[in-house]
Amino acid sequence: DIDDVGHKYYLELELEDVLDKDRTVKCTAEVLYHLGSKASAPDVQLTVQGELRSTEEADKEFYNRIRSLEKELVAENIPDSHGNVPPALEPIHLLAWVASGYVTWQNSTENTKFHLAQVKHVKQVKRSDEDLQFDYVLLLHEMVSQEVLPWEVTVLWHPQRGARVSQCQGPGAGN
Amino acid sequence: HQVLRIKTKNEEEVKQLQLLESLEHLELDFWINPSAPALPVDVRIPAVSVQSVKAFLESQGIEYSILIEDLQDVLDKEKQDMAESAQRQRSSSFDFGAYHTLDDINAELDHLASEYSFVEKIQIGESYEKRPLYVLKFSTGGSKRPAIWLDAGIHSREWVTQASALWIANKIASDYGTDASITSLLDKMDLFLLPVANPDGFVYTHTSNRMWRKTRSKNPGSICIGVDPNRNWDAGFGGPGASNKPCSDSYHGPSANSEVEVKSVVDFIKNHGNFKAFLTLHSYSQLLMYPYGYKCTRPDDYAELESLGRAAANSIRSLYGTTFQVGTICSTIYQASGGSIDWSYDNGIKYSFAFELRDTGRYGFLLPANQIVPAAKETWLGLKRIMEHVRDKSS
C-alpha cells in the first residue's frame, strides 16, 4: 500500500511459449494500481530475464501472404463454436490475443480478470504504408461480472515494428 | 497437380488464356474458364505441364497465384477425414469427443437407459420454455438408497460440462460390473445425473449466441432476458457477488428459486430426502471448490472438505498433469451469493463441491472438441475420489 497513490504488486512470472510448450522464460514485473475511481490503466514495468524465441521467418511469411492477397481478408468466429481455428487463421487469432492484452491492460482494476473469449469479426484494411491493418471485434470475458462484451480494436502490425493498437472502443461506446 | 488462380488485366490476356485452353495436349482442367478480364480464372494443371504453363504466363506478364500447391495432398486428407467419420458412425452411435445438440444428447440418454437395466431416464420438471429436465438415475436396487447428485450445464455456454457429463454417464454405465470401485459404489448408493441443467440456454447457444449463460426467462419491465441460475439458489440470496440488474450476466432474479430450472432440482432433492453429496460442473478455470461463496468464512466441515478436495485434485492431476486449485468459493474465485453448493451444504448435504473444468483461458468456453474426452476422463477421476469417500462414510 502506498499512501495517496495506490497498491503496488511485485511479481515473479514464468512465461510459457504457447507454440513451444517446453520453452519457458522468467520475468519480473511491478504493477501499480492507482487509487480512486477515475478509470486509469495500471502502471506496468516488466523485465524479461532470458531470450524469446525468434519468429522472424514466420512473421515474414505471414506478412507476405497477407500483403499478396487480392481481396482483403475477412473472417469471423475464431475459434468457432466447437473451438476450431483454421490453420491459416491462427496468426490472426494470435494477433487478436495480443490486442486483447492491450485492452485488458487499459481496463484492469484489482477486481477484474479478462480473457479473450472469441474473435467475433476481423477485417483487413489495406494501407498505403508498410503496416498491415486489421479491424477486430473482440469478445472479452470478464470473470468477476461474467460479462462477455464486444470491443472494437484496430491493430497495426509489421514484422519489425510489431503490433500497435491504434484505436479501441468499448461496448456501448458511440451510442 | 497444382491449381492456379490467374488474374487477367485486359481482353488481350483473356484471349491468351483461351488460346491455352485450346491446347488439348496440355490436358488443362479449367475450374473457372477465361471469359472476362474482371473474373479470376482457376485452372488445374497436371504435374508435367506445370512448369511450362507458368513459364508461358510469366513471359506474357500474366499474373497468377497458387491456389492449391498439391492437389493430391488435399484429396488424401479429405479421404482420410471421411473414412474417420464413417468409422466413427459405424462403431458407436454417439461420438463422445464431439459437441452435440440438445436433441442428440436426449437421444443418447434414451439409448443409455434402454441399454442398461440399472439406468433410468426420469423427468424432474420443465424449463421456462417447456423443455423437459431429464435426469439419469443409476440404481442397482434398494429403496431410496443414500444418493449422489451430479449436474452439468447450468451455465449454458460451458459446453465441455454437458459433453463431459455424457461421457461420464456412459463410463459409469459401461463399467458397472467390471470396475471394482464403480460396482461397489452403485451397490451401496444411487447416482442422479442431470447433464443439461439449463436446456433453454443450451439451445440458445446453438441457435443464436454461443456466449449465452443464463436461463431464458422474461424479466417484467426489462428488455433483457434471463437469470443467472447459479445466483438464484436460496443461500445468501441477493447478497454480494450477484447483480440486481436484469441485463447483467450475474442477475440473481426477482427471488430465490424464481427459475423453474432451479426450483425443480430443489424440490426433487428435498422430496428424496437422502442425498449425501451434491456435485456440479462448470467451466472454465480448473478449480475444485466447496462452500461458501455467499460468505467468506469457512464451513464447519472445512478440514474434511479441504482434505477431500486436495485428494480429488491429485487424482485429476495423475492423468495428464492438469492442475486444479482447491479451496472455498469465496477464497478461490470470488464472493458469489445464491450458489447451488452453498444451498445444498446449508441443507444438510455435507459433500458439496463445484468443479470448474478446462482450460484456464486460452480457449475458455470454446474448448476444442478434441479436449472433451481428456477433460471428462480427468474430471471423472476427481469425482470418483469424492464418491468413494462419500460411499465409505455413508455405510
Side-chain angles (χ1 to χ4, degrees), chain B residues 318-376:
Chain B
S318 72
L319 196 54
Y320 302 111
T322 309
T323 53
F324 275 55
Q325 262 179 277
V326 179
T328 66
I329 294 175
C330 184
S331 66
T332 308
I333 200 170
Y334 40 50
Q335 190 174 11
S337 57
S340 64
I341 68 168
D342 286 356
W343 170 81
S344 60
Y345 184 78
D346 279 352
N347 276 271
I349 302 174
K350 183 187 347 180
Y351 300 104
S352 293
F353 288 91
F355 287 62
E356 292 273 359
L357 307 193
R358 292 190 188 190
D359 59 13
T360 53
R362 169 130 196 238
Y363 288 95
F365 300 121
L366 307 180
L367 195 72
N370 62 15
Q371 288 197 47
I372 294 173
V373 174

Side-chain angles (χ1 to χ4, degrees), chain B residues 230-283:
Chain B
N230 207 30
R231 300 286 185 278
N232 189 244
W233 299 70
D234 194 4
F237 177 83
S243 171
N244 60 5
K245 295 182 177 32
C247 295
S248 165
D249 251 343
S250 54
Y251 174 49
H252 50 55
S255 57
N257 301 325
S258 64
E259 302 313 283
V260 63
E261 294 83 355
V262 171
K263 181 121 194 352
S264 302
V265 175
V266 169
D267 288 347
F268 181 77
I269 290 182
K270 277 187 155 157
N271 289 337
H272 184 280
N274 203 16
F275 275 91
K276 301 296 176 198
F278 185 98
L279 310 168
T280 183
L281 302 184
H282 290 260
S283 78

Side-chain angles (χ1 to χ4, degrees), chain A residues 18-19 21 70 78-85 90 93-94 97 113-118 139 141 143-148, chain B residues 5 7 65 99 157-159 205 210-211 213 228 231 247-250 284-285 333-334 360-363 365-369:
Chain A
V18 157
L19 300 179
K21 286 279 160 72
E70 305 118 17
I78 309 168
D80 66 16
S81 285
H82 297 220
N84 298 318
V85 179
E90 187 59 36
H93 185 214
L94 294 171
W97 216 2
K113 187 168 174 176
F114 288 97
H115 291 283
L116 174 65
Q118 189 182 42
L139 293 181
H141 173 224
M143 201 58 92
V144 180
S145 65
Q146 285 296 328
E147 301 294 337
V148 173
Chain B
R5 170 157 287 180
K7 294 304 299 284
S65 60
Y99 291 112
R157 61 190 179 198
E158 298 166 9
W159 277 19
T205 59
R210 175 64 178 81
M211 296 294 168
R213 165 184 168 88
D228 183 340
R231 300 286 185 278
C247 295
S248 165
D249 251 343
S250 54
Y284 56 93
S285 286
I333 200 170
Y334 40 50
T360 53
R362 169 130 196 238
Y363 288 95
F365 300 121
L366 307 180
L367 195 72

Side-chain angles (χ1 to χ4, degrees), chain B residues 69-236:
Chain B
E69 185 89 48
D70 184 337
L71 190 57
Q72 191 58 49
D73 277 353
V74 175
L75 293 172
D76 288 345
K77 177 86 182 32
E78 183 183 58
K79 196 167 166 190
Q80 193 188 357
D81 283 349
M82 287 173 67
E84 280 168 18
S85 177
Q87 134 82 220
R88 271 198 299 271
Q89 264 145 41
R90 268 196 308 276
S91 58
S92 134
S93 51
F94 194 83
D95 181 4
F96 293 99
Y99 291 112
H100 292 277
T101 61
L102 183 65
D103 288 342
D104 287 347
I105 290 175
N106 285 338
E108 178 59 14
L109 297 183
D110 284 331
H111 174 248
L112 287 171
S114 72
E115 203 176 316
Y116 299 97
S117 59
F118 56 94
V119 179
E120 194 192 335
K121 188 185 86 170
I122 58 182
Q123 181 174 345
I124 65 165
E126 262 182 357
S127 69
Y128 181 82
E129 290 173 346
K130 303 276 180 271
R131 294 185 175 87
L133 297 169
Y134 287 133
V135 165
L136 280 187
K137 175 183 179 183
F138 296 76
S139 178
T140 61
S143 166
K144 214 160 250 188
R145 282 179 173 167
I148 294 170
W149 173 267
L150 175 60
D151 69 63
I154 197 171
H155 289 139
S156 38
R157 61 190 179 198
E158 298 166 9
W159 277 19
V160 69
T161 66
Q162 300 94 334
S164 294
L166 263 298
W167 183 91
I168 289 167
N170 179 253
K171 172 75 175 163
I172 296 172
S174 56
D175 276 15
Y176 175 74
T178 50
D179 176 285
S181 179
I182 291 178
T183 306
S184 81
L185 180 74
L186 286 184
D187 281 346
K188 295 199 171 80
M189 304 186 74
D190 291 343
L191 173 70
F192 293 84
L193 168 55
L194 172 62
V196 186
N198 179 5
D200 295 348
F202 187 60
V203 169
Y204 199 71
T205 59
H206 278 271
T207 58
S208 307
N209 181 354
R210 175 64 178 81
M211 296 294 168
W212 190 259
R213 165 184 168 88
K214 303 188 287 183
T215 61
R216 292 291 301 165
S217 57
K218 290 199 192 5
N219 293 307
S222 173
I223 51 163
C224 291
I225 301 227
V227 166
D228 183 340
N230 207 30
R231 300 286 185 278
N232 189 244
W233 299 70
D234 194 4

Side-chain angles (χ1 to χ4, degrees), chain A residues 112-128:
Chain A
T112 58
K113 187 168 174 176
F114 288 97
H115 291 283
L116 174 65
Q118 189 182 42
V119 177
K120 194 73 197 143
H121 195 266
V122 60
K123 186 185 69 179
Q124 179 198 358
V125 176
K126 283 204 172 170
R127 295 174 66 88
S128 50

